């Protein structure tokens, strides 16, 4: 049997894929002979615990070089040797690895994170702390250093999201208890915020009732705010539009209540990279809505509604988040945080922005690991991966992505412990090396290092 294994190894090793991830905090391994790898695999079933432990550690150090041999050995392995082989293989195939969890008192019920375009600063929003916490990012290690905390129990009471303008030194924050949206100036050198103008309920115009997220227009002239509790004539939920004036105040433009309850509990919003359109996911209505906006007036009109249980769509009930590829050709949705199936959906985006659902990954039906309570998701800057938070399962899910077809292949779910409230919001570093995750029940930001796409 040893001779057969050795022959297989000698054939397989020259064709090893070098894109697999190395174990963390180790030097690059030197090439090993097929015979040495085979010896280490046999030692996994040795008589002494120390021998088995050292063999496992050495195989981990060798990394991808040993994967084909271990896969072959798994076909006949039993007992502890099989368990150790499986553990090693799972570790080597990981696409993301935990670097640290940064905890601060100001992160009590943190649910949203954002990174500045220059990659220097991370902003974390926590609704129990009524605060936005600012961290400086080490671009090499991904580690975070506390810089400042903007705490405002009035205007930021129940703060749930802070978003950065794509082209200007501005940011915007929404707070559901204050029923407010606040425009902020961001010092690009220090990363710190200065409040500019806050809009709260008034008697002379439609007012926010429960703002939950906000997005800048591509030119940063308008804000689009999601409000699940806004009430229309026969609808619930709305998109509020505000103009950013020359003196940096917010001017109310309109409240779009949609049609057929398409904005019932809107939770996610993303803008198309080239078209004058954005997309909104709504949890209660189970819809994905395509909206056109006017660059001059900021006003909006609903163009398309994709609904759960219509035209073969089954994964939009409880829809929470939406993101889009950089080329604008594919859109991804996540569902299940509060209701509905825990699902990751894929849509093709036509040249005019029209949506068609092409794929759905449903927990319990498809191979999607331990993923429950789909919340926020993002496409990596290189387009090779999609990451999604599972709040109820307290996991981060990783998928590989085909940039040409848009299709996803599930890789793994990584546990963040057993908290009742797991990861919520996430963002990816400007250099694409790290995924930063807001862990709602842990007062923390988990930093993961991205390995090469699997």
């Amino acid at each position: 049997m040893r001779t057969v294994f050795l022959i297989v190894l000698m054939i397989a090793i020259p064709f090893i894929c070098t894109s697999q991830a190395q174990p963390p905090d180790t030097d690059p391994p030197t090439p090993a002979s097929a015979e040495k790898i085979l010896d280490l695999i046999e030692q996994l079933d040795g008589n002494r615990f120390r021998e088995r432990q050292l063999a496992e550690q050495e195989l981990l150090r060798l990394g991808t070089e040993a994967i084909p041999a271990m896969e072959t050995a798994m076909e006949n392995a039993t007992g502890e040797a099989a368990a150790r082989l499986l553990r090693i293989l799972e570790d080597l195939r990981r696409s993301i690895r935990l670097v640290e969890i940064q905890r601060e008192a100001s992160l009590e019920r943190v649910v949203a994170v954002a990174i500045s375009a220059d990659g220097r600063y991370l902003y974390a929003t926590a609704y129990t702390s009524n605060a936005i916490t600012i961290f400086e990012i080490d671009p090499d290690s991904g580690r975070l250093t506390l810089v400042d905390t903007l705490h405002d129990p009035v205007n930021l009471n129940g703060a749930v999201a802070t978003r950065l303008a794509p082209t200007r030194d501005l940011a915007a924050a929404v707070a559901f208890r204050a029923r407010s949206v606040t425009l902020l100036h961001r010092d690009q050198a220090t990363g710190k915020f200065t409040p500019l103008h806050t809009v709260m309920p008034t008697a002379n115009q439609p007012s926010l009732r429960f703002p939950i997220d906000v997005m800048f227009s591509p030119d940063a002239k308008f804000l689009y705010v999601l409000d699940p509790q806004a009430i229309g004539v026969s609808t619930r939920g709305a998109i509020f539009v505000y103009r950013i004036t020359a003196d940096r105040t917010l001017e109310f433009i309109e409240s779009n209540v949609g049609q057929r309850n398409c904005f019932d509990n809107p939770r996610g919003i993303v803008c198309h990279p080239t078209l004058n359109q954005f997309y909104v996911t709504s949890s209660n209505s189970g819809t994905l809505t395509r909206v056109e906006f006017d660059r001059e007036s900021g006003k909006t009109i609903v163009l398309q509604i994709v609904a759960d249980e219509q035209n073969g769509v089954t994964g939009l009930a409880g829809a929470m988040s939406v993101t889009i590829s950089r080329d604008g050709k594919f859109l991804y949705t996540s569902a299940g945080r509060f209701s509905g199936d825990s699902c990751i959906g894929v849509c093709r985006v036509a040249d005019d922005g029209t949506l068609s659902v092409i794929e759905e990954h449903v927990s319990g039906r498809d191979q999607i690991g331990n993923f429950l309570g789909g919340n926020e998701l993002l496409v990596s800057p290189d387009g090779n991966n999609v990451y999604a938070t599972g709040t109820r399962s307290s996991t981060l899910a990783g998928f590989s992505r085909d940039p040409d077809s848009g299709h996803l292949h599930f890789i793994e779910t990584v546990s963040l412990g057993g908290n009742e409230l797991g990861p919520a919001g996430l963002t990816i570093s400007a250099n694409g090396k790290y995924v930063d995750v807001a862990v709602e029940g842990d007062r923390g930001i988990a930093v993961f290092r991205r390995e090469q796409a699997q």
Side-chain angles (χ1 to χ4, degrees), residues 132-155:
I132 304 168
T133 306
I134 305 166
F135 297 92
E136 188 170 12
I137 304 170
D138 184 314
D140 296 321
S141 69
R143 295 182 182 273
L144 306 176
T145 301
L146 180 66
V147 171
D148 193 29
T149 299
L150 178 61
H151 175 253
D152 186 340
V154 177
N155 293 327

Side-chain angles (χ1 to χ4, degrees), residues 43 48 159 166 169 199 202 208 214 223 230 261 369 374 411 416 444 451:
Q43 289 168 28
R48 294 180 298 168
D169 57 347
V199 173
T202 61
L208 295 166
V214 59
L223 287 181
N261 272 332
I411 300 173
L416 284 112
E451 307 291 1

Side-chain angles (χ1 to χ4, degrees), residues 127-209:
Y127 63 85
T128 296
S129 302
N130 309 318
I132 304 168
T133 306
I134 305 166
F135 297 92
E136 188 170 12
I137 304 170
D138 184 314
D140 296 321
S141 69
R143 295 182 182 273
L144 306 176
T145 301
L146 180 66
V147 171
D148 193 29
T149 299
L150 178 61
H151 175 253
D152 186 340
V154 177
N155 293 327
L156 295 179
N157 187 8
V160 280
T162 303
R163 306 303 180 191
L164 308 180
T167 59
R168 300 170 64 182
D169 57 347
L170 296 174
V174 289
F176 66 85
R177 282 193 293 263
R179 298 166 63 186
S180 68
V181 55
T182 298
L183 186 66
L184 304 157
H185 169 260
R186 190 179 77 87
D187 187 307
Q188 297 182 67
T190 66
K192 296 182 180 181
F193 283 147
T194 302
L196 296 172
H197 183 221
T198 297
V199 173
M200 301 182 79
T202 61
N204 59 357
Q205 69 182 32
S207 297
L208 295 166
R209 295 169 59 91

Side-chain angles (χ1 to χ4, degrees), residues 326-337:
R326 285 194 169 187
D327 59 11
K329 294 182 178 180
F330 299 97
L331 181 144
Y332 300 86
T333 60
S334 180
R337 168 64 185 94

Side-chain angles (χ1 to χ4, degrees), residues 342-386:
S342 296
C343 177
I344 304 298
V346 185
C347 293
R348 180 175 288 108
V349 184
D351 291 343
D352 65 353
T354 301
L355 299 170
S356 56
V357 177
I358 61 172
E359 182 176 274
E360 292 180 313
H361 299 262
V362 180
S363 180
R365 185 193 73 184
D366 305 307
Q367 184 182 359
I368 197 172
N370 180 22
F371 181 78
L372 294 173
N375 204 331
E376 192 164 353
L377 80 170
L378 284 176
V379 180
S380 61
D382 58 16
N384 291 331
N385 293 94
V386 167

Side-chain angles (χ1 to χ4, degrees), residues 48-102:
R48 294 180 298 168
F49 173 81
R50 180 64 174 167
E51 177 187 10
R52 300 192 297 272
Q53 192 75 2
L54 288 175
E56 180 174 342
Q57 292 173 2
E58 181 64 11
L59 286 167
L60 277 170
R61 191 192 70 81
L62 290 174
T64 58
E65 185 179 2
I67 285 178
M70 289 189 287
E71 289 177 335
T72 300
M74 273 294 294
E75 296 176 5
N76 298 302
T78 59
E80 185 177 349
R84 287 183 180 272
L85 282 168
L86 180 61
R87 185 163 60 232
I88 297 168
L89 286 168
E90 287 179 344
D91 189 87
L92 293 178
R93 289 169 177 153
R94 285 183 180 175
S95 66
I96 41 181
R97 296 177 183 275
L98 183 65
V99 173
E100 69 167 354
I101 298 181
Q102 179 78 29

